[in-house]
């Protein structure tokens, strides 16, 4: 079986590579000449654990190919996946579908036999119908079907999510197309992956509904965390207590600095705009967006308060700038808003991230980038942990205290235990948990056994 994947961004490259791993002949096409050349040379343009080895393996096996020529990619393809970007259209908040529609037009002008056009990109309800109209207008024959097959890939775990999915969702209005999709996903279905067929509009809606619900769940916990701080409760214990209820479940109950990334911010906003367009406003998601935006500003003020307000011309150390660990994705990362707000208050920001610093430098200016966490921390008035990379979970906390000008540690991911931080002598601020006081009578040297408590 042969397929084409248009777009070699996160979704396109991961999906195409995983299909090749399943034994399918895959051609990935992109107009970015430099990106395709890098891929041909084994250079992966995104950071995703294990992807580089999987790409190399399937290229060597002759199942994965890269090209800039669409006609070559489409030859003999039984399915063509559109996996181009759908960024937020900043003038009105709608999803920008120009890349999707441009791809559809080019497909229509170049296919010569029956194939299934599949949208992998996250698109608003009704996009499949618009693609179908474009195909009918520009295709020399009507031998095609249009399906929706939204992705549910978590950055940092994308390969596992693709190969061991919770479900494979396909919006399909044609039995002929359904048979193509069934054959394509047979290797996963044979391992008992659920393959769900719905109407096309249902699949499109389901992707947005899933992301909006998860964003709302995170934001709910951040709101509860604020209340926990006022009443003396512990948000992590609250999460355990409610997460054991199977109707709620544990995932996405972690309080933090607000959600970011390539999906939640743009998809929640696009869903709101779609709802407004159809006069069916979604107030819960509108509020979720507003609360999340305000959350990031609150985090900057939390840091300033932890240093007791005197931050002008002071150094603050930031650990982690990617929106989550195991990725270099900076899109809508909370770190961006937090750093900008700190800089607006006169702070000199020093930062470190194991993977995302190159991407961050394209977005955040006037930051001093350190080679490691300890270099970043040295001489700072406070250290702020924003992204929960593994290497930040076992810091030598005695050393951290010795390197800081003030013993202030702001943990926006609740990595450490307040009582241990207090015993070491660090003034510790975390999310939704009681603030601890430093016991100055306990010398740091007697707490070396706590230096790497996570």
């Amino acid at each position: 079986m042969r397929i084409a994947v248009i777009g070699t961004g996160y979704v396109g490259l991961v999906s195409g590579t995983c299909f090749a791993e399943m034994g399918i002949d895959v051609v990935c096409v992109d107009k970015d000449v430099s990106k395709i050349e890098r891929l041909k040379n084994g250079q992966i343009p995104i950071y995703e654990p294990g992807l580089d080895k999987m790409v190399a393996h399937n290229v060597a096996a002759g199942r994965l190919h890269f090209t800039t020529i669409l006609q070559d990619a489409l030859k003999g393809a039984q399915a063509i996946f559109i996996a181009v970007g759908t960024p937020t259209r900043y003038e009105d908040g709608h999803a920008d579908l120009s890349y999707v529609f441009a791809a559809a037009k080019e497909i229509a002008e170049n296919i010569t036999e029956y194939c299934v056009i599949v949208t992998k990109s996250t698109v608003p309800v009704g996009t499949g119908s618009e693609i179908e109209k474009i195909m009918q207008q520009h295709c020399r024959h009507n031998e095609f079907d249009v399906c929706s097959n939204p992705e549910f890939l978590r950055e940092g775990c994308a390969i596992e999510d693709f190969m061991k999915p919770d479900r494979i969702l396909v919006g399909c209005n044609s039995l002929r197309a359904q048979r193509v999709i069934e054959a394509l996903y047979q290797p996963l279905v044979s391992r008992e992956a659920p393959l769900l067929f719905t109407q096309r509009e249902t699949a499109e809606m389901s992707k947005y509904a899933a992301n909006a619900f998860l964003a709302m769940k995170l934001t709910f916990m951040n709101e509860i965390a604020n209340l926990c701080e006022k009443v003396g409760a512990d948000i992590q214990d609250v999460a355990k207590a409610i997460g054991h209820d199977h109707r709620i479940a544990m995932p996405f109950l972690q309080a933090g600095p607000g959600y970011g990334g390539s999906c939640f911010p743009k998809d929640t906003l696009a869903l709101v705009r779609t709802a407004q367009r159809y006069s069916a406003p979604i107030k819960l998601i509108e509020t979720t967006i507003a609360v999340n935006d305000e959350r990031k500003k609150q985090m900057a003020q939390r840091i300033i308060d932890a240093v007791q307000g005197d931050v002008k011309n002071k150094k603050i150390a930031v650990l982690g700038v990617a929106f989550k660990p195991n990725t270099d994705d900076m899109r809508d990362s909370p770190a961006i808003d937090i750093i900008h707000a700190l800089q607006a208050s006169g702070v000199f920001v020093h930062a470190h991230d194991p993977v995302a610093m190159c991407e961050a430098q394209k977005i955040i200016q006037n930051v001093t980038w350190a080679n490691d966490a300890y270099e970043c921390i040295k001489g700072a008035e406070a250290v702020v942990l924003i992204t929960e990379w593994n290497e930040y979970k076992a810091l030598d906390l005695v050393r951290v205290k010795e390197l800081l000008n003030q013993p202030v540690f702001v943990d926006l991911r609740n990595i450490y235990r307040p009582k241990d931080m207090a015993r070491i002598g660090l003034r510790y601020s975390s999310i939704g948990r009681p603030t601890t006081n430093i016991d100055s009578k306990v010398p740091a040297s007697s707490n070396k056994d706590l230096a790497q408590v996570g």
Side-chain angles (χ1 to χ4, degrees), residues 373-375 377-380 398-406:
Y374 300 106
E375 177 186 312
I377 292 167
K378 185 177 181 180
V398 171
R399 183 182 177 189
V400 168
K401 183 189 174 187
E402 291 172 349
L403 290 171
L404 287 166
N405 276 353
Q406 293 189 58

Side-chain angles (χ1 to χ4, degrees), residues 70-352:
L70 183 66
Q71 295 91 329
D72 291 349
L74 301 188
K75 288 178 183 175
Q78 292 163 274
I80 303 167
F81 285 82
I82 299 176
V84 297
T86 55
T88 297
R89 203 164 60 195
Y90 287 103
E91 60 268 24
D92 56 15
H94 284 282
D96 183 354
L97 300 178
S98 58
Y99 302 111
V100 172
F101 293 151
K105 182 174 181 292
E106 289 191 66
I107 292 169
E109 293 171 342
N110 285 281
I111 59 172
T112 58
E113 56 187 332
Y114 174 80
C115 60
V116 181
I117 293 87
V118 187
T119 53
K120 264 290 182 192
S121 304
T122 300
V123 296
V125 176
T127 301
S129 297
E130 292 301 315
I131 291 173
E132 196 166 65
K133 291 177 184 177
I134 292 170
M135 294 294 300
Q136 290 169 346
Q137 181 179 356
H138 296 280
C139 191
R140 286 188 286 270
H141 60 85
N142 290 324
E143 289 294 302
F144 64 84
D145 281 303
V146 178
C147 294
S148 172
N149 177 212
E151 53 83 17
F152 298 98
L153 306 178
R154 297 169 297 162
E155 294 187 44
C157 309
I159 292 173
E160 182 179 4
D161 286 346
F162 191 99
M163 303 302 282
K164 299 177 181 179
D166 294 329
R167 76 292 198 194
I168 303 164
L169 178 62
V170 182
C172 185
N173 299 343
S174 157
L175 183 58
R176 186 179 184 184
Q178 182 174 325
R179 288 171 178 162
V180 172
I181 299 298
E182 286 173 338
L184 182 63
Y185 280 111
Q186 180 55 35
L188 299 184
V189 173
S190 67
R191 300 177 207 160
E192 300 185 352
L195 178 56
L196 310 179
F197 284 99
T198 70
Q199 292 297 307
R200 198 164 53 205
E201 292 79 7
T202 301
E204 292 169 339
M205 175 60 76
S206 296
K207 168 63 176 179
Y208 278 103
N211 280 354
F213 182 84
L214 294 175
M216 185 172 61
K217 192 174 180 181
L218 285 170
T219 304
F220 171 81
M221 290 305 290
N222 286 336
E223 292 276 79
I224 295 297
N226 288 342
L227 183 57
C228 283
E229 292 171 10
K230 299 292 186 182
V231 302
D234 188 315
I235 188 62
Q236 289 188 299
D237 289 339
V238 171
K240 291 175 186 176
I242 68 174
H244 281 291
D245 186 328
H246 70 274
R247 297 168 300 175
I248 298 173
M250 289 289 190
F252 289 84
L253 292 183
Q254 299 80 16
Y259 61 75
S262 62
C263 295
F264 289 0
K266 75 177 182 67
D267 292 351
T268 50
L269 186 56
L271 181 61
V272 165
R273 293 294 181 260
T274 298
Q276 291 171 343
R277 176 183 176 187
Y278 287 94
S279 299
I282 304 178
K283 297 297 184 182
L284 281 173
I285 307 306
E286 291 177 12
T287 302
T288 294
I289 294 169
V291 170
N292 190 66
D293 289 343
E294 183 60 29
R295 179 77 176 172
K296 298 173 186 178
K297 300 174 186 176
Q298 292 170 351
M299 293 301 100
Q301 188 58 50
R302 174 185 293 263
I303 296 162
I304 294 170
D305 291 344
V307 190
Q308 299 177 342
D310 183 17
V311 295
K312 189 173 183 180
N313 298 326
K314 301 290 181 64
K315 172 183 173 179
I316 299 291
V318 170
L319 300 183
V321 293
F323 91 94
K324 64 178 289 188
N326 295 324
T327 181
D328 61 351
D329 198 338
M330 286 296 301
R331 284 173 287 186
D332 283 295
S333 171
I336 298 171
D337 294 290
I338 293 170
I339 289 174
H340 285 163
L342 290 174
Q343 289 175 330
S345 297
V347 169
F348 297 137
V349 175
H350 291 233
H352 174 262

